[in-house]
Amino acid sequence: MTDRESSPVALPQTHDDRWRASRWEIVPAMPLPPPMNMALDEILTERVGAGERPPTVRIWAWSGPCVVLGRFQSVRNEVDEAAAERHGIELVRRISGGGAMFIEPEGAITWSIYAPDAIVQGMSFPESYAFFDAWVVEALRALGIDAWYAPLNDITSANGKIGGAAQARRNGAVLHHTTMAYAMNVPLMTSVLRIGKEKLSDKGIRSADKRVGPLSQQTAMSRQAIVDHLIARFAGAYPSQVGDLTADELAEAERRVAARFGQPAWIHLLP
Amino acid sequence: MSDSDLAGTVRRRGACKTPGGKLVIVDFLLERERLRDVVVSGDFFLYPEEAIEPLTAALEGMPVDLPPAGIAARVAAAIPPGAELLGFSPAAIAEAVRRALTPETDDD
């Protein structure tokens, strides 16, 4: 959440026809332990790919604070584990690449989109990132927030970076998940995340100039009101219905947490 | 940056941020002028994810006197067909290795 692109990028075509090609299931937020959220992303991607579940948008909620590492990040390079433990912040690793996220349940807005690969057919990876975030940028602009998409995977604004996305591809399906900052506890975040000088020196911009623009600084709306707005925009534009996780999906997630996502071998995959 | 482990072997680490892209960090043990126990990490994207294994293996046992172009070529040759690197490159990995091996210029 520290990068910032300095110039607006033209909104990509929204490819509404692709969004409208199927009926979406919207799964409302259910507070879950962080490793369950990791496991569900893998399972729902697989099941959408297998045609066992319709294309889905899942809104996330968290039972507690955590740091979510990207698939390729090293624990020791990214996290002060002792500080995380002291503050009761859990460490988890997601299946997609990208950067570490510091999550407090009321400070972040996260969702996952699971769709068959056909939705991004013919698009490059960078184009597909822009495609999946385009509707969100429009939804934020509808709130009067001067937001835009910044390659490769950021949603940013005149007041700083708002959020970032990551993708994984599995089993004929694409997972695109996005986290936006609603409110940030910067002192706590910087005590837990190691944010190196290299990371902050992109294009010669000094760290002091780097800004994040959490949504709470850009609108008076509550976190929940923003989530509701996003869902309403999506449901208003694309065919969709509210759904839920099945008991079987939750049971499978429990199994994968026990076998993998809650295990040090995965969390410390890169020490 | 370097730390000593219990055996007294020096662990080196170097990082390279691709402009407009992502950070790649390479860390390893320096043993008899070769790289050992290499870890390639960062906030980049790589599809498929499993391609990280051959990319990392390409650096294992590499002699420290290999020039950056040689390192990059070795990494590039290890990328599985169809794999896609987003936000980093063989050249960025080579630069991270170079920085790890020249601690005086390492700003980490």
Side-chain angles (χ1 to χ4, degrees), chain A residues 64-115:
Chain A
C66 62
V67 169
V68 182
L69 289 176
R71 166 68 176 75
F72 304 111
Q73 290 188 298
S74 140
V75 174
R76 64 182 168 228
N77 285 337
E78 300 298 330
V79 185
D80 181 337
E81 282 195 274
E85 190 168 348
R86 207 160 54 238
H87 294 293
I89 294 165
E90 193 169 358
L91 181 62
V92 291
R93 184 183 298 275
R94 63 178 185 266
I95 63 172
S96 62
M101 303 186 305
F102 173 76
I103 301 277
E104 290 183 287
E106 293 307 311
I109 297 174
T110 302
W111 65 91
S112 293
I113 296 171
Y114 316 87

Side-chain angles (χ1 to χ4, degrees), chain A residues 9 15 22 27 30 45-46 51 54 56 69 80 84 103 142-144 149 172 177 205 209 216 234 236 239 241 243 258:
Chain A
V9 168
H15 289 289
S22 40
V27 176
M30 170 199 288
T45 306
E46 289 171 3
T56 298
L69 289 176
D80 181 337
I103 301 277
L143 297 178
Y149 167 77
H177 45 200
I205 300 167
D209 299 323
S216 63
F234 188 94
Q241 62 193 43

Side-chain angles (χ1 to χ4, degrees), chain B residues 5-61:
Chain B
D5 71 2
L6 293 176
T9 317
V10 176
R11 191 156 190 101
R12 307 274 193 160
R13 181 169 68 201
C16 178
K17 173 87 163 73
T18 299
K22 301 297 174 185
L23 183 72
V24 63
I25 302 165
V26 180
D27 66 80
F28 51 83
L29 293 172
L30 202 51
E31 209 176 88
R32 295 196 189 96
E33 301 299 298
R34 286 179 182 273
L35 278 54
R36 299 285 180 209
D37 190 26
V38 180
V39 177
V40 176
S41 67
D43 62 349
F44 50 81
F45 296 93
L46 174 61
Y47 302 98
E49 290 86 6
E50 295 70 28
I52 193 66
E53 289 163 21
L55 279 187
T56 304
L59 299 175
E60 198 68 38

Side-chain angles (χ1 to χ4, degrees), chain A residues 29-53:
Chain A
M30 170 199 288
L32 290 167
M36 283 289 284
N37 273 321
M38 304 301 115
L40 280 168
D41 262 1
E42 182 174 72
I43 293 161
L44 300 187
T45 306
E46 289 171 3
R47 293 194 175 190
V48 167
E52 295 165 3
R53 141 174 288 288

Side-chain angles (χ1 to χ4, degrees), chain A:
Chain A
M1 303 291 294
T2 50
D3 285 352
R4 178 170 179 268
E5 295 294 329
S6 54
S7 58
V9 168
L11 278 179
Q13 279 188 291
T14 55
H15 289 289
D16 271 353
D17 51 326
R18 296 196 183 204
W19 288 104
R20 291 196 181 108
S22 40
R23 188 165 188 84
W24 294 81
E25 184 166 307
I26 298 175
V27 176
M30 170 199 288
L32 290 167
M36 283 289 284
N37 273 321
M38 304 301 115
L40 280 168
D41 262 1
E42 182 174 72
I43 293 161
L44 300 187
T45 306
E46 289 171 3
R47 293 194 175 190
V48 167
E52 295 165 3
R53 141 174 288 288
T56 298
V57 180
R58 177 172 73 99
I59 314 297
W60 294 35
W62 310 81
S63 64
C66 62
V67 169
V68 182
L69 289 176
R71 166 68 176 75
F72 304 111
Q73 290 188 298
S74 140
V75 174
R76 64 182 168 228
N77 285 337
E78 300 298 330
V79 185
D80 181 337
E81 282 195 274
E85 190 168 348
R86 207 160 54 238
H87 294 293
I89 294 165
E90 193 169 358
L91 181 62
V92 291
R93 184 183 298 275
R94 63 178 185 266
I95 63 172
S96 62
M101 303 186 305
F102 173 76
I103 301 277
E104 290 183 287
E106 293 307 311
I109 297 174
T110 302
W111 65 91
S112 293
I113 296 171
Y114 316 87
D117 277 345
I119 200 169
V120 292
Q121 191 173 21
M123 292 184 198
S124 67
F125 277 100
E127 285 167 348
S128 73
Y129 275 86
F131 164 74
F132 278 113
D133 280 342
W135 70 276
V136 183
V137 168
E138 292 192 345
L140 293 175
R141 295 176 79 89
L143 297 178
I145 296 168
D146 183 16
W148 64 88
Y149 167 77
L152 170 67
N153 60 328
D154 288 348
I155 296 172
T156 193
S157 74
N159 297 307
K161 178 173 168 176
I162 294 172
Q167 279 183 24
R169 312 261 172 126
R170 294 284 164 95
N171 201 33
V174 51
L175 158 69
H176 181 98
H177 45 200
T178 306
T179 289
M180 300 194 300
Y182 177 70
M184 289 182 88
N185 183 340
V186 174
L188 183 57
M189 180 178 77
T190 53
S191 77
V192 171
L193 291 186
R194 302 187 198 279
I195 299 176
K197 283 187 228 164
E198 273 285 351
K199 172 83 177 167
L200 298 172
S201 63
D202 189 20
K203 296 170 186 163
I205 300 167
R206 298 300 306 169
S207 60
D209 299 323
K210 289 286 186 174
R211 285 185 298 164
V212 288
L215 291 168
S216 63
Q217 292 174 10
Q218 306 206 45
T219 171
M221 290 171 77
S222 69
R223 178 186 172 284
Q224 188 57 50
I226 295 171
V227 171
D228 292 344
H229 168 76
L230 291 174
I231 294 173
R233 291 286 293 200
F234 188 94
Y238 312 126
S240 51
Q241 62 193 43
V242 175
D244 213 344
L245 299 173
T246 66
D248 183 62
E249 286 163 344
L250 286 166
E252 178 62 19
E254 298 274 7
R255 279 193 290 276
R256 291 197 198 185
V257 168
R260 184 152 166 250
F261 289 98
Q263 294 295 327
W266 171 252
I267 297 166
H268 289 77
L269 182 66
L270 296 164

